[in-house]
Amino acid sequence: MEWVASWTQFFFTLALVNLIGVVSIAFILLSGLRHIRKLIDIPTNLECDPRVSIIVAARNEERHIRPAIESLLRLDYRNLEIIAVNDRSTDRTGSILDDLACDDDRLQVVHLTELPCGWLGKNHALQSGADLATGQWLLFTDADVVMDPTTLRRAISFALSNKVDHLAMMPEARMPSLFLESFVAVFIVGFSLFFRPWKAHDPESSAHVGVGAFNLIRSTTYRAIEGHKPLRMRPDDDVMLGKLVKLHQHSQGVSSGIGLIWVPWYSSIREVVVGLEKNAFAVMNYSIAKTLLCSIMCLLFLLLPFGAVFFSSGVTASVNLLIIAVLLSIGWRVTSEIRVRTLSIVFFPAVILLLLFIQWRAMLVTVISGGIHWRGTFYPLADLKSNRL
C-alpha cells in the first residue's frame, strides 16, 4: 500500500539523518574531549606560591563537610587560607566547622543567620566569603568535594603557565550503583555538547564553562566582573560564573580533575531527581519552548533508534543498529575517561528517559509553584527569570 511505502521511506530517511547526526556528534565530542588536559599530568613545581583563598559555602552538609574540609587542609600549598561559610544550617555543619577551625588557623568560619532579599543562599554565601578573601586567586568549591593534596599546586601551575584568569575543573563523580554511573556518563556527554568546554579558551567563541566543584579565578578578575552580584538569583551560578568571565573578555581554561578531585555526587535516583530540580529548567532560561524542543530532539535522535531497531527491517534496521553502535561507542569512550564501569552503558536509554523526566518535572514544579524550593528557601520564578545574562 502507498501509505505503508511512505512511512517506510520516512523512517529510513529519519534513520539516515539520525546516523549523520550521531556520527557528527561523536566526532565533535571525542575530538573536543581530547583537547582537555588532565590536571594529573601537570607538574607540581611552582616558582612561587601566590596566595589562594578557598571559599566553601555549606548548608546542612554534616554528612560530607568534615572529609571535604580536611582534604583542603591537607593541600600541599603553603600560601593558603580557607573560608568556610555556614549558610543558616540547621544541622551540625556549623559545629563541625568550628571544631576543625580550632585545630588549624588557616580555616576561617563564617556563620550566616539571614539571607538578604534578592539573593540565592549559596550565591550570597560565596559572595560573603569572597568579600573576606585576601588571596590573589579565589577557589570556589562545593562542600562535598575531596581533593588530592597536589591538586591546588597543579591547578595554579596550569593557570599561570596558560595565562588564564579562570580555570574550571571537572571532578570525578563517585556513584554507588551501575545505573548512577551510567547517569554520570550521559550527563557528561550532555554537559559537554551543550557547553563545549574545549572551546572555552577561544576568545572568538561564545563557549564558556564553570564547575561548582572547582572554579579557580583571579581575585582581580572576580572583582572586575562584580563577583556573584550579577548572579544573585542564578541556581546555575557555577556555569554562569564562567559565562560572566567570558562576557567581560577575560581568559578561560578547563581541565579534567579525574584522579585528583572527586565528589560523592548523588546516592540514589531520588537524590538525582530532587538535586537537579533547581538547575534543569534554569539551564533553559526558564523557557517552555526550549524545554519542548530539547525533549523532542532527545526522543527522536537518542531514544527512537533503540526502539525502532525492533520494529524496522532491512536497511532501516541496519542503520538503526549502526546508530546504536555509535552511541554506545561514545559511551564506552566517555566511561573510560571518567573512570566508571563500561557496563553502565547498557542503561543509556533508561538514563535518557530519566533526564527527560527530570527536565519536565523541574519545569512543571517551577511553573506550577511559581518558583523553586532550594535547601529550605523559596525563590519566586519572577525573580529567577529577571536575572539573565
Side-chain angles (χ1 to χ4, degrees), residues 31 124 200 204 309 383:
S31 61
H124 174 247
E204 302 300 320
V309 73
D383 293 344

Short mmCIF file of all heavy atoms in Angstrom, two decimals, residues 31 124 200 204 309 383:
data_model
loop_
_atom_site.label_atom_id
_atom_site.label_comp_id
_atom_site.label_asym_id
_atom_site.label_seq_id
_atom_site.Cartn_x
_atom_site.Cartn_y
_atom_site.Cartn_z
N SER A 31 36.71 14.43 19.62
CA SER A 31 37.87 15.26 19.28
C SER A 31 38.00 16.43 20.25
O SER A 31 39.11 16.85 20.60
CB SER A 31 37.75 15.78 17.84
OG SER A 31 36.59 16.58 17.69
N HIS A 124 24.89 34.07 47.85
CA HIS A 124 25.18 35.06 48.88
C HIS A 124 26.32 34.58 49.78
O HIS A 124 27.20 35.37 50.17
CB HIS A 124 23.93 35.33 49.72
CG HIS A 124 24.17 36.24 50.89
ND1 HIS A 124 24.08 35.81 52.20
CD2 HIS A 124 24.53 37.54 50.95
CE1 HIS A 124 24.37 36.80 53.00
NE2 HIS A 124 24.64 37.87 52.28
N ALA A 200 36.24 26.84 25.45
CA ALA A 200 36.15 27.94 26.41
C ALA A 200 37.36 28.86 26.33
O ALA A 200 37.26 30.07 26.59
CB ALA A 200 36.00 27.39 27.83
N GLU A 204 37.35 33.96 20.51
CA GLU A 204 36.40 34.19 19.41
C GLU A 204 35.14 33.35 19.56
O GLU A 204 34.17 33.54 18.81
CB GLU A 204 37.07 33.86 18.07
CG GLU A 204 38.33 34.66 17.78
CD GLU A 204 38.07 36.15 17.75
OE1 GLU A 204 37.02 36.56 17.21
OE2 GLU A 204 38.89 36.92 18.29
N VAL A 309 14.81 -0.20 16.19
CA VAL A 309 15.55 -1.36 15.70
C VAL A 309 14.72 -2.64 15.80
O VAL A 309 14.92 -3.60 15.04
CB VAL A 309 16.89 -1.50 16.46
CG1 VAL A 309 16.65 -2.00 17.90
CG2 VAL A 309 17.84 -2.44 15.73
N ASP A 383 11.59 36.48 40.05
CA ASP A 383 12.92 36.94 40.44
C ASP A 383 14.01 36.13 39.72
O ASP A 383 15.04 36.67 39.30
CB ASP A 383 13.12 36.82 41.95
CG ASP A 383 12.24 37.77 42.73
OD1 ASP A 383 11.70 38.72 42.11
OD2 ASP A 383 12.06 37.57 43.94
#
